């Protein structure tokens, strides 16, 4: 990329900061149901399967929007869709907060997913355009570290705030924040470091778009990154996004505040891990070995949760923090996909890689709930269903298999040595 002027360098950090704040909100909304799962179950008097569908609605629309978002950021630019996303996400948060029934809450959750679905891919596009390629994984790690503040807030802080003020008020406040951030993206973000105050207006050519997308899809080196992302992030979003808190409270007998602390440790470890793993990969000039080590440790920890074995509280704290660090391994899949495809298609290539995890979450969150409902023996606690250890083991098995399949897929990743190798890529 061309050298940037001092003014452009200041602009890129300011714009990226605004988008990172929007990403914090995206992460918070993604994982919020986990921190208030019991509250939602009691408010809407719903089963585990219905609760799973409510949480997974976000992931349904998020999955469907990944490829369209990649196309939009490569053609219309990130600025426009970030502003529109803030508006839609804000409307969804308001509706979710005010929803008197499960049906309206589902609509609100769907709008939330639609609004925030554009944030991450747009952010990756801005990093790819405004920063040097050799710093891509590091910069993504920094953005993930900042964005994961939202997931940390969705753990213990959200649980405590919901108990103190009610969960509805939290989402109404988030709606206002979303509108403000959408407006700031429109005013501050620019699509590329062009001369003047704005980049030239991009053109949307359907033929070029479809041929570019087909180029990414038919490239066989794209799909191992998709598979790894599907397994690792799919397990993460499925469990951390809804079932972790009830699991810890019902299987391990932990108080709500202690379970929420575990969730925050997972999210905090993930945030730190994204920065550490991305930076380590860039420094080593390798993607595959780092991804293999992280994913296999991640899969091993899932076997521990599958056993439902009792353990000292400090050990479970350590395991959740370590799981967060290893979960971050899947953040390298975006670089792995981007670096085996044409540079001008960075939005599409990263969106295709990102799609798998959200699709897995959309399918597995309600599936886990359905499996546990099959084993429910009619016991209720504080208005929510209570499941025994054996029933939980069947639910966790689904998530564990997903994580292990993701780890196994790492062996098919094409090593790029942290540079774009598209021209030498077979089928690219």
């Amino acid at each position: 990329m061309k050298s940037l002027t001092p003014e452009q360098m200041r602009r890129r950090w300011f714009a990226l900061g605004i988008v990172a704040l929007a990403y914090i909100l995206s992460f918070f909304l993604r994982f919020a149901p986990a921190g208030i799962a019991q509250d939602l179950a009691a408010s809407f008097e719903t089963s585990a399967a219905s609760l799973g569908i409510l949480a997974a609605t976000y992931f349904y629309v998020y999955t469907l929007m990944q490829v369209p978002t990649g196309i939009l950021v490569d053609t219309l630019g990130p600025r426009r869709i970030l502003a529109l996303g803030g508006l839609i996400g804000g409307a969804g948060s308001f509706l979710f907060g005010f929803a008197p029934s499960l049906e309206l809450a589902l609509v609100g959750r769907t709008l939330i997913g639609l609004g925030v679905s554009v944030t991450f891919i747009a952010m990756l596009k801005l990093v790819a355009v405004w920063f040097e390629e050799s710093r891509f994984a590091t910069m993504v790690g920094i953005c993930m570290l900042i964005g994961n503040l939202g997931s940390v807030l969705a753990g213990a802080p959200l649980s405590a705030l919901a108990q103190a003020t009610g969960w509805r008020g939290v989402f109404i406040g988030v709606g206002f924040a979303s509108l403000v951030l959408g407006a700031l993206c429109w005013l501050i973000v620019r699509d590329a470091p062009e001369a003047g105050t704005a980049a030239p207006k991009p053109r949307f050519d359907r033929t070029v778009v479809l041929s570019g997308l087909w180029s990414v899809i038919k490239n066989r080196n794209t799909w191992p990154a998709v598979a790894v992302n599907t397994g690792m992030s799919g397990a993460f979003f499925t469990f951390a996004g809804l079932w972790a808190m009830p699991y810890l409270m019902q299987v391990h007998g932990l108080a709500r505040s202690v379970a929420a602390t575990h969730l925050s440790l997972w999210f905090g470890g993930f945030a730190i891990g994204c920065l550490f793993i991305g930076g380590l990969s860039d420094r080593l000039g390798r993607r595959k070995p780092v991804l293999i080590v992280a994913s296999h440790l991640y899969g091993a920890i899932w076997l521990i949760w599958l056993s439902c074995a009792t353990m000292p509280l400090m050990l479970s704290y350590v395991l959740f923090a370590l799981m967060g660090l290893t979960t971050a391994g899947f953040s390298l899949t975006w670089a792995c996909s981007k670096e085996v495809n044409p540079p001008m298609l960075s939005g599409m290539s990263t969106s295709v890689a990102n799609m798998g995890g959200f699709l897995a979450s959309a399918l597995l969150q309600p599936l886990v709930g359905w499996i546990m409902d099959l084993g429910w023996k009619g016991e209720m606690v504080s208005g929510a269903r209570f499941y025994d250890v054996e029933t939980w083991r069947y639910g966790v098995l689904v998530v564990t298999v997903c994580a292990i399949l993701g780890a196994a897929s790492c062996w098919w990743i094409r090593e790029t040595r942290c540079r774009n190798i598209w021209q030498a890529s077979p089928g690219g």
Side-chain angles (χ1 to χ4, degrees):
M1 64 177 293
K2 296 180 180 179
S3 298
L4 301 181
T5 66
E7 174 60 27
Q8 288 174 326
M9 293 183 70
R10 285 192 296 271
R11 175 179 287 277
R12 72 177 181 181
W13 286 109
F14 196 22
L16 192 60
I18 297 298
V19 180
L21 288 175
Y23 193 43
I24 290 176
L25 206 61
S26 171
F27 252 96
F28 176 84
L29 291 167
R30 182 178 305 168
F31 293 112
I36 57 172
Q38 300 289 93
D39 302 303
L40 293 174
S43 294
F44 298 118
E45 299 179 347
T46 185
S47 66
S50 295
L51 191 61
I53 292 172
L54 176 62
T57 301
Y58 173 107
F59 294 104
Y60 295 143
V61 68
Y62 207 110
T63 302
L64 292 173
M65 282 300 297
Q66 288 310 284
V67 171
T69 297
I71 293 172
L72 289 171
V73 298
D74 283 339
T75 54
L76 303 181
R79 176 180 174 236
R80 293 170 177 80
I81 63 169
L82 282 168
L84 183 59
L87 178 63
I88 296 173
S93 295
F94 285 132
L95 182 56
F96 191 83
F98 285 115
S101 65
L102 179 64
E103 291 74 19
L104 282 177
L106 283 167
V107 176
R109 182 76 173 157
T110 300
L111 289 176
I112 288 172
L114 179 62
V116 304
S117 65
V118 303
T119 308
F120 181 68
I121 298 301
M123 183 176 68
L124 291 186
K125 182 67 175 183
L126 289 171
V127 172
V129 170
W130 282 87
F131 291 85
E132 298 78 10
E133 186 173 22
S134 61
R135 299 174 64 189
F136 183 82
T138 300
M139 292 306 305
V140 171
I142 292 172
C143 291
M144 292 289 289
L145 174 65
I146 296 171
N148 267 276
L149 292 174
S151 60
V152 174
L153 292 173
L158 172 60
S159 179
L161 187 59
Q163 284 186 295
T165 65
W167 64 270
R168 293 182 182 276
V170 174
F171 279 88
I172 293 169
V174 167
F176 283 111
S178 181
L179 295 179
V180 170
L181 287 172
L184 289 175
C185 285
W186 178 259
L187 294 172
I188 294 170
V189 173
R190 293 295 179 267
D191 295 333
E194 303 290 343
T197 58
K201 185 177 180 179
R203 293 179 57 199
F204 185 94
D205 187 316
R206 185 176 64 178
T207 302
V208 173
V209 167
L210 292 178
S211 63
L213 179 60
W214 178 242
S215 172
V216 173
I217 291 174
K218 75 176 182 179
N219 183 355
R220 64 174 177 264
N221 290 318
T222 301
W223 291 99
V226 175
V228 175
N229 192 291
T230 300
M232 294 186 69
S233 67
F236 176 41
F237 297 153
T238 297
F239 205 64
L242 182 60
W243 300 116
M245 284 270 289
Y247 166 83
L248 290 168
M249 294 169 67
Q250 296 184 11
V251 173
H252 295 281
L254 301 181
R256 175 173 177 154
S257 60
V258 177
T261 301
H262 279 76
L263 199 60
S264 291
L265 283 171
W266 192 357
F267 295 147
F270 177 62
I272 296 170
C274 285
L275 179 62
F276 171 74
I277 287 177
L280 176 64
S281 175
D282 282 344
R283 285 193 296 272
L284 293 177
R286 298 289 188 277
R287 303 293 190 211
K288 188 172 180 177
V290 179
L291 192 48
I292 287 174
V293 171
S295 65
H296 284 57
L297 284 173
Y298 180 65
I301 295 173
W302 273 106
L303 293 174
I304 298 174
W305 304 132
L306 177 62
S307 73
C308 296
T310 57
M311 64 187 72
L313 183 60
M314 187 54 64
L315 178 58
S316 64
Y317 277 146
V318 171
L319 284 174
F320 260 77
L322 180 59
M323 187 162 63
L325 290 171
T326 56
T327 300
F330 82 78
S331 65
L332 293 179
T333 60
W334 304 309
C336 291
S337 181
K338 181 183 77 74
E339 290 164 359
V340 296
N341 283 291
M344 71 287 297
L345 301 178
S346 60
M348 294 186 202
S349 58
T350 53
S351 67
V352 169
N354 204 40
M355 183 175 61
F358 291 101
L359 176 60
S361 307
L363 297 175
L364 296 186
Q365 279 191 338
L367 176 61
V368 169
W370 177 75
I371 288 172
M372 294 197 302
D373 279 338
L374 291 177
W376 182 52
K377 296 179 173 59
E379 187 176 356
M380 304 284 289
V381 175
S382 301
R385 293 188 178 190
F386 184 91
Y387 303 89
D388 60 25
V389 172
E390 192 60 32
T391 301
W392 271 108
R393 189 173 284 119
Y394 284 115
V396 175
L397 175 62
V398 174
V399 188
T400 303
V401 170
C402 182
I404 291 175
L405 288 176
S409 301
C410 289
W411 294 96
W412 283 270
I413 288 283
R414 176 83 179 270
E415 179 59 70
T416 64
R417 295 182 181 270
C418 303
R419 68 186 193 281
N420 191 283
I421 60 170
W422 168 67
Q423 303 243 355
S425 175

